[in-house]
Amino acid sequence: MSEFDPKEVKLLSDILALVLEDQVGQSTAALETLRRRAQRNSTTGGALKNLFQTLAADPGRAQGAAASARTRASSSRARSDKPDMPDTYRTQLREMADSINRLDRDLRTIRAQNESLKAQLYLTQQSRAELQTHLASMQLSSRVSRKITIVATVMAGLLTGIAGTEFFHVLYSASPRAAISDTRAVG
Protein backbone atom coordinates (compact mmCIF):
# COMPACT_ATOMS: atom_id res chain seq x y z
CA MET A 1 0.00 0.00 0.00
CA SER A 2 2.50 2.59 -1.20
CA GLU A 3 -0.19 4.97 -2.47
CA PHE A 4 -2.80 6.34 -0.12
CA ASP A 5 -6.40 6.20 -1.10
CA PRO A 6 -7.66 9.81 -0.81
CA LYS A 7 -10.98 8.60 0.59
CA GLU A 8 -9.24 6.67 3.36
CA VAL A 9 -6.97 9.61 4.24
CA LYS A 10 -9.92 11.96 4.35
CA LEU A 11 -11.90 9.54 6.47
CA LEU A 12 -8.97 9.10 8.86
CA SER A 13 -8.40 12.84 9.20
CA ASP A 14 -12.11 13.39 9.83
CA ILE A 15 -12.12 10.72 12.51
CA LEU A 16 -9.03 12.15 14.20
CA ALA A 17 -10.41 15.68 14.09
CA LEU A 18 -13.68 14.60 15.62
CA VAL A 19 -12.07 12.42 18.27
CA LEU A 20 -9.97 15.38 19.38
CA GLU A 21 -12.97 17.77 19.33
CA ASP A 22 -13.60 19.51 22.65
CA GLN A 23 -17.37 19.33 22.49
CA VAL A 24 -18.51 15.87 23.49
CA GLY A 25 -21.98 15.96 21.93
CA GLN A 26 -20.64 17.19 18.61
CA SER A 27 -17.84 14.61 18.69
CA THR A 28 -20.25 11.76 19.38
CA ALA A 29 -22.66 12.82 16.65
CA ALA A 30 -19.82 13.17 14.14
CA LEU A 31 -18.37 9.76 15.02
CA GLU A 32 -21.78 8.18 14.49
CA THR A 33 -22.00 9.90 11.11
CA LEU A 34 -18.52 8.61 10.22
CA ARG A 35 -19.49 5.07 11.19
CA ARG A 36 -22.43 5.23 8.83
CA ARG A 37 -20.23 6.68 6.09
CA ALA A 38 -17.57 4.00 6.61
CA GLN A 39 -20.23 1.32 6.35
CA ARG A 40 -21.58 2.92 3.18
CA ASN A 41 -18.06 3.09 1.66
CA SER A 42 -17.23 -0.43 2.86
CA THR A 43 -14.29 0.81 4.92
CA THR A 44 -13.33 -1.62 7.67
CA GLY A 45 -11.44 -1.24 10.88
CA GLY A 46 -8.64 -3.36 9.39
CA ALA A 47 -8.26 -0.90 6.50
CA LEU A 48 -7.93 1.94 8.98
CA LYS A 49 -5.38 -0.04 10.97
CA ASN A 50 -3.33 -0.64 7.81
CA LEU A 51 -3.54 3.08 7.02
CA PHE A 52 -2.19 3.93 10.48
CA GLN A 53 0.66 1.46 10.08
CA THR A 54 1.54 2.83 6.64
CA LEU A 55 1.56 6.37 7.98
CA ALA A 56 3.76 5.30 10.89
CA ALA A 57 6.20 3.55 8.52
CA ASP A 58 6.42 6.53 6.12
CA PRO A 59 6.87 9.66 8.29
CA GLY A 60 7.04 11.97 5.23
CA ARG A 61 3.52 11.06 4.24
CA ALA A 62 2.47 11.13 7.88
CA GLN A 63 3.63 14.75 8.12
CA GLY A 64 1.61 15.63 5.00
CA ALA A 65 -1.48 13.97 6.44
CA ALA A 66 -0.89 15.69 9.77
CA ALA A 67 -0.53 19.04 7.98
CA SER A 68 -3.83 18.52 6.19
CA ALA A 69 -5.44 17.49 9.48
CA ARG A 70 -4.05 20.65 11.11
CA THR A 71 -5.43 22.74 8.24
CA ARG A 72 -8.89 21.27 8.74
CA ALA A 73 -8.63 21.70 12.52
CA SER A 74 -7.57 25.33 12.18
CA SER A 75 -10.44 26.01 9.77
CA SER A 76 -12.92 24.48 12.23
CA ARG A 77 -11.31 26.52 15.03
CA ALA A 78 -11.57 29.65 12.88
CA ARG A 79 -15.31 29.19 12.87
CA SER A 80 -15.46 28.97 16.67
CA ASP A 81 -12.54 31.15 17.90
CA LYS A 82 -12.47 34.91 17.44
CA PRO A 83 -8.67 35.42 17.15
CA ASP A 84 -8.42 33.06 14.13
CA MET A 85 -11.41 34.53 12.26
CA PRO A 86 -11.02 35.05 8.55
CA ASP A 87 -10.79 38.58 7.22
CA THR A 88 -14.35 38.51 5.93
CA TYR A 89 -15.67 37.93 9.44
CA ARG A 90 -13.43 40.66 10.82
CA THR A 91 -14.66 43.01 8.11
CA GLN A 92 -18.28 42.16 8.87
CA LEU A 93 -17.62 42.59 12.58
CA ARG A 94 -15.96 45.96 11.97
CA GLU A 95 -18.89 47.06 9.78
CA MET A 96 -21.34 45.99 12.44
CA ALA A 97 -19.37 47.86 15.12
CA ASP A 98 -19.32 50.95 12.90
CA SER A 99 -23.04 50.60 12.34
CA ILE A 100 -23.64 50.30 16.08
CA ASN A 101 -21.48 53.37 16.73
CA ARG A 102 -23.33 55.32 14.03
CA LEU A 103 -26.69 54.28 15.48
CA ASP A 104 -25.48 55.27 18.94
CA ARG A 105 -24.46 58.73 17.65
CA ASP A 106 -27.82 59.06 15.90
CA LEU A 107 -29.60 58.08 19.09
CA ARG A 108 -27.68 60.69 21.10
CA THR A 109 -28.46 63.33 18.45
CA ILE A 110 -32.14 62.42 18.45
CA ARG A 111 -32.24 62.53 22.26
CA ALA A 112 -30.65 66.00 22.19
CA GLN A 113 -33.21 67.14 19.60
CA ASN A 114 -35.96 65.65 21.73
CA GLU A 115 -34.76 67.62 24.77
CA SER A 116 -34.58 70.80 22.67
CA LEU A 117 -38.11 70.24 21.39
CA LYS A 118 -39.34 69.60 24.93
CA ALA A 119 -37.83 72.94 26.02
CA GLN A 120 -39.47 74.70 23.07
CA LEU A 121 -42.79 73.03 23.90
CA TYR A 122 -42.52 74.19 27.51
CA LEU A 123 -41.80 77.78 26.40
CA THR A 124 -44.71 77.64 23.94
CA GLN A 125 -47.03 76.38 26.68
CA GLN A 126 -45.93 79.22 28.96
CA SER A 127 -46.53 81.78 26.21
CA ARG A 128 -49.96 80.28 25.53
CA ALA A 129 -50.87 80.48 29.21
CA GLU A 130 -49.74 84.12 29.36
CA LEU A 131 -51.74 84.94 26.23
CA GLN A 132 -54.84 83.23 27.63
CA THR A 133 -54.49 85.21 30.87
CA HIS A 134 -54.06 88.46 28.94
CA LEU A 135 -57.04 87.65 26.69
CA ALA A 136 -59.21 86.79 29.70
CA SER A 137 -58.29 90.08 31.38
CA MET A 138 -59.06 91.98 28.17
CA GLN A 139 -62.42 90.26 27.86
CA LEU A 140 -63.19 90.99 31.49
CA SER A 141 -62.25 94.64 31.13
CA SER A 142 -64.30 94.94 27.93
CA ARG A 143 -67.28 93.40 29.73
CA VAL A 144 -66.91 95.85 32.59
CA SER A 145 -66.54 98.78 30.19
CA ARG A 146 -69.59 97.56 28.26
CA LYS A 147 -71.59 97.39 31.45
CA ILE A 148 -70.46 100.87 32.43
CA THR A 149 -71.34 102.15 28.96
CA ILE A 150 -74.76 100.51 29.13
CA VAL A 151 -75.43 101.93 32.60
CA ALA A 152 -74.23 105.38 31.52
CA THR A 153 -76.39 105.24 28.38
CA VAL A 154 -79.46 104.18 30.37
CA MET A 155 -78.83 106.92 32.92
CA ALA A 156 -78.35 109.48 30.17
CA GLY A 157 -81.54 108.25 28.51
CA LEU A 158 -83.47 108.45 31.75
CA LEU A 159 -82.18 111.91 32.48
CA THR A 160 -82.94 113.01 28.92
CA GLY A 161 -86.42 111.50 29.20
CA ILE A 162 -87.11 113.16 32.53
CA ALA A 163 -85.75 116.47 31.28
CA GLY A 164 -87.81 116.22 28.07
CA THR A 165 -90.93 115.36 30.01
CA GLU A 166 -90.43 118.27 32.35
CA PHE A 167 -89.75 120.59 29.44
CA PHE A 168 -92.92 119.34 27.74
CA HIS A 169 -94.91 119.88 30.93
CA VAL A 170 -93.50 123.33 31.37
CA LEU A 171 -94.42 124.32 27.82
CA TYR A 172 -97.95 122.97 27.96
CA SER A 173 -98.65 124.02 31.46
CA ALA A 174 -97.43 127.56 30.84
CA SER A 175 -99.74 128.13 27.86
CA PRO A 176 -103.07 127.33 29.55
CA ARG A 177 -102.21 129.47 32.57
CA ALA A 178 -101.44 132.35 30.35
CA ALA A 179 -104.71 131.78 28.51
CA ILE A 180 -106.62 131.65 31.80
CA SER A 181 -104.89 134.73 33.11
CA ASP A 182 -105.60 136.52 29.81
CA THR A 183 -109.27 135.60 30.01
CA ARG A 184 -109.56 136.85 33.56
CA ALA A 185 -107.93 140.05 32.78
CA VAL A 186 -110.26 140.73 29.91
CA GLY A 187 -113.40 139.93 31.66
Side-chain angles (χ1 to χ4, degrees):
M1 191 172 208
S2 59
E3 279 299 313
F4 291 116
D5 184 18
K7 286 183 180 180
E8 289 181 2
V9 173
K10 183 179 181 327
L11 184 63
L12 178 62
S13 64
D14 288 345
I15 291 172
L16 289 175
L18 290 173
V19 168
L20 298 175
E21 186 70 33
D22 291 337
Q23 298 173 350
V24 177
Q26 214 174 26
S27 173
T28 306
L31 282 173
E32 189 60 37
T33 304
L34 284 174
R35 277 191 193 116
R36 280 184 265 141
R37 202 158 101 199
Q39 288 174 354
R40 187 179 60 222
N41 293 337
S42 300
T43 305
T44 63
L48 289 177
K49 181 180 173 185
N50 290 338
L51 185 58
F52 275 117
Q53 289 174 350
T54 306
L55 288 176
D58 192 0
R61 291 188 185 231
Q63 288 175 352
S68 68
R70 270 186 297 219
T71 304
R72 281 194 202 98
S74 67
S75 69
S76 69
R77 248 186 283 129
R79 282 182 243 134
S80 63
D81 294 344
K82 290 181 182 174
D84 295 336
M85 278 193 298
D87 289 335
T88 57
Y89 292 133
R90 287 186 185 135
T91 304
Q92 288 176 351
L93 185 61
R94 191 175 307 119
E95 288 172 358
M96 287 180 191
D98 291 343
S99 175
I100 289 171
N101 289 335
R102 186 175 357 94
L103 290 172
D104 189 42
R105 279 192 306 269
D106 291 346
L107 180 63
R108 277 187 256 131
T109 302
I110 289 172
R111 283 184 178 163
Q113 288 175 349
N114 190 17
E115 291 300 319
S116 172
L117 290 174
K118 281 182 183 178
Q120 288 177 359
L121 176 64
Y122 178 72
L123 291 174
T124 304
Q125 286 173 338
Q126 279 185 331
S127 297
R128 180 177 174 256
E130 289 173 4
L131 285 174
Q132 282 181 332
T133 304
H134 183 67
L135 181 62
S137 67
M138 285 178 56
Q139 287 176 346
L140 183 63
S141 68
S142 80
R143 285 182 190 162
V144 171
S145 67
R146 277 190 213 152
K147 287 180 182 178
I148 291 173
T149 304
I150 291 171
V151 169
T153 304
V154 168
M155 293 299 281
L158 284 174
L159 288 176
T160 304
I162 292 173
T165 305
E166 285 301 314
F167 181 71
F168 182 73
H169 283 294
V170 168
L171 283 179
Y172 283 112
S173 60
S175 312
R177 282 187 197 163
I180 293 178
S181 19
D182 286 336
T183 56
R184 281 188 195 165
V186 173

